[in-house]
């Protein structure tokens, strides 16, 4: 894998503190940024939480520490529940806010803060967060591409209440997301009885049922306007998302399915997003990766590599 120096182009959103109100103007679209294969701004998106009170800082503590220790200075957390805490950016939604709509809000947030300024980002997600990020790209590709850049001058955005922003009704005209790493994301849905029961009272669970309208709409690996390189990481011991769903039936630019470590330890649906150490066994492959089975980096170590992986030229 190619390693390169950090591109000096970063709108250090959280580095300058996402506090009060942000105001920006979207310039006309220009050529998409070139791949940096380096330390992009990285936006992290959490997964479904039945109580809607997840802590973004708690969910991403291990991953953010590892990123910071390895040269990623601009790491931003995005939350989408009204009871979520310690998020750099927050949509005050509920478990009934459809995933497509969360994706639209995420798309406008990324466009407003980054893409419209020709700044590309990377995205790291856990569980349903991967569906949110993919929905952002898919919606732009279906409904935004080809439209003129909107005039967002004078628009005010409260980072603690993204949903209050008066975005245009449709989708942004382009997004620049270079790499996406998903951890235990149900790309093909969750078929368990628990989710079927949850779907009765929570619309997001309904969206995650296999064959749902949302999943039928969602692309397998939608590419942003600069191309997007995908890494899907899964655990064969995940009791929430099946191996086939989390690897999208091994259809990805890069995928890995973890077994156990040298001590017999395994990765749960939650621990896969927190584990950066251990000697792990995995099967792995992908469109742009070697295929095999054997020793493999811990999930968060593989996450770092995923933020450098390259699309086919």
């Amino acid at each position: 894998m190619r390693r390169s120096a950090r591109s000096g182009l970063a709108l250090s959103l959280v580095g300058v503190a996402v506090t009060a109100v942000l105001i920006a103007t979207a310039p006309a679209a220009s050529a998409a940024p070139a791949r940096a294969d380096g330390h992009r701004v990285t936006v992290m998106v959490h997964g479904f939480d039945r109580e809607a009170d997840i802590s973004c800082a708690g969910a991403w503590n291990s991953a953010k520490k590892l990123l910071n220790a390895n040269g990623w200075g601009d790491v931003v957390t995005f939350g989408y529940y009204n009871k979520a805490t310690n998020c750099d950016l927050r949509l005050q939604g509920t478990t009934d806010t459809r995933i497509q709509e969360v994706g639209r809000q995420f798309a406008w947030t990324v466009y407003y803060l980054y893409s419209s300024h020709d700044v590309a980002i990377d995205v790291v997600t856990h569980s349903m967060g991967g569906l949110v990020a993919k929905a952002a790209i898919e919606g732009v590709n279906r409904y935004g591409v080809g439209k003129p850049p909107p005039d967002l001058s004078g628009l005010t955005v409260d980072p603690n209440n993204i949903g209050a922003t008066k975005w245009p009704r449709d989708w942004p005209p382009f997004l620049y997301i270079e790499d996406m790493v998903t951890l235990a994301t149900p790309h093909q849905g969750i078929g368990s009885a628990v989710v079927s029961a949850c779907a009765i009272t929570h619309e997001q669970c309904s969206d995650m049922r296999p064959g749902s309208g949302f999943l039928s709409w969602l692309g397998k690996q939608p590419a942003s306007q600069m191309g997007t390189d995908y890494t899907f990481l899964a655990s064969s011991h995940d009791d929430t998302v099946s191996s086939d769903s989390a690897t999208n039936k091994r259809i990805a630019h890069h995928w890995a399915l973890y077994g156990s470590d040298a001590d017999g330890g395994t990765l749960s649906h939650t621990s896969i997003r927190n584990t950066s150490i251990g000697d792990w066994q995995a099967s792995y492959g992908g469109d742009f990766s070697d295929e095999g089975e054997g020793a493999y980096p811990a999930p968060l170590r593989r996450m770092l590599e995923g933020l450098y992986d390259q699309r086919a030229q």
Side-chain angles (χ1 to χ4, degrees), residues 100-109 111 135-152 165-175 217:
Q100 186 185 81
E101 175 58 18
V102 180
R104 191 181 76 89
Q105 295 283 343
F106 183 68
W108 276 114
T109 303
Y111 176 80
I137 298 175
E138 183 69 20
V140 167
N141 292 348
R142 286 177 179 261
Y143 313 123
V145 170
K147 295 182 179 179
D151 179 6
L152 302 181
T165 310
K166 297 186 182 300
W167 305 120
R169 288 184 177 273
D170 51 8
W171 295 71
F174 57 89
L175 287 180
W217 170 88

Side-chain angles (χ1 to χ4, degrees), residues 53-261:
D53 60 357
I54 192 167
S55 165
C56 289
W60 292 116
N61 181 55
S62 298
K64 187 171 182 179
K65 280 185 176 180
L66 187 64
L67 285 165
N68 289 161
N70 283 272
W72 276 264
D74 301 313
V75 182
V76 181
T77 57
F78 179 88
Y80 46 83
Y81 292 132
N82 54 12
K83 293 188 287 184
T85 57
N86 302 307
C87 305
D88 299 315
L89 299 164
R90 184 174 67 148
L91 168 67
Q92 294 198 20
T94 71
T95 56
D96 286 327
T97 306
R98 305 308 291 247
I99 300 175
Q100 186 185 81
E101 175 58 18
V102 180
R104 191 181 76 89
Q105 295 283 343
F106 183 68
W108 276 114
T109 303
V110 170
Y111 176 80
Y112 176 83
L113 294 170
Y114 302 112
S115 301
S116 66
H117 300 275
D118 297 329
V119 175
I121 68 166
D122 289 334
V123 177
V124 175
T125 72
H126 177 245
S127 196
M128 195 187 88
L131 302 181
V132 169
K134 285 172 57 180
I137 298 175
E138 183 69 20
V140 167
N141 292 348
R142 286 177 179 261
Y143 313 123
V145 170
K147 295 182 179 179
D151 179 6
L152 302 181
S153 59
L155 188 70
T156 58
V157 178
D158 179 354
N160 192 48
N161 190 7
I162 293 295
T165 310
K166 297 186 182 300
W167 305 120
R169 288 184 177 273
D170 51 8
W171 295 71
F174 57 89
L175 287 180
Y176 298 142
I177 297 177
E178 181 174 2
D179 297 294
M180 189 184 302
V181 179
T182 73
L183 298 151
T185 287
H187 297 283
Q188 298 196 349
I190 304 174
S192 69
V194 172
V195 171
S196 295
C198 175
I200 297 172
T201 53
H202 301 271
E203 296 288 5
Q204 288 175 351
C205 288
S206 178
D207 285 342
M208 287 190 285
R209 291 183 299 177
S212 70
F214 167 73
L215 290 176
S216 298
W217 170 88
L218 186 63
K220 292 180 178 178
Q221 292 181 151
S224 73
Q225 280 54 63
M226 69 175 297
T228 302
D229 186 278
Y230 283 92
T231 300
F232 297 161
L233 303 180
S235 170
S236 58
H237 297 275
D238 187 332
D239 61 359
T240 300
V241 179
S242 72
S243 300
D244 276 352
S245 188
T247 60
N248 215 358
K249 287 193 173 178
R250 296 161 178 77
I251 299 174
H253 299 138
H254 322 272
W255 61 266
L257 177 61
Y258 285 88
S260 59
D261 67 8

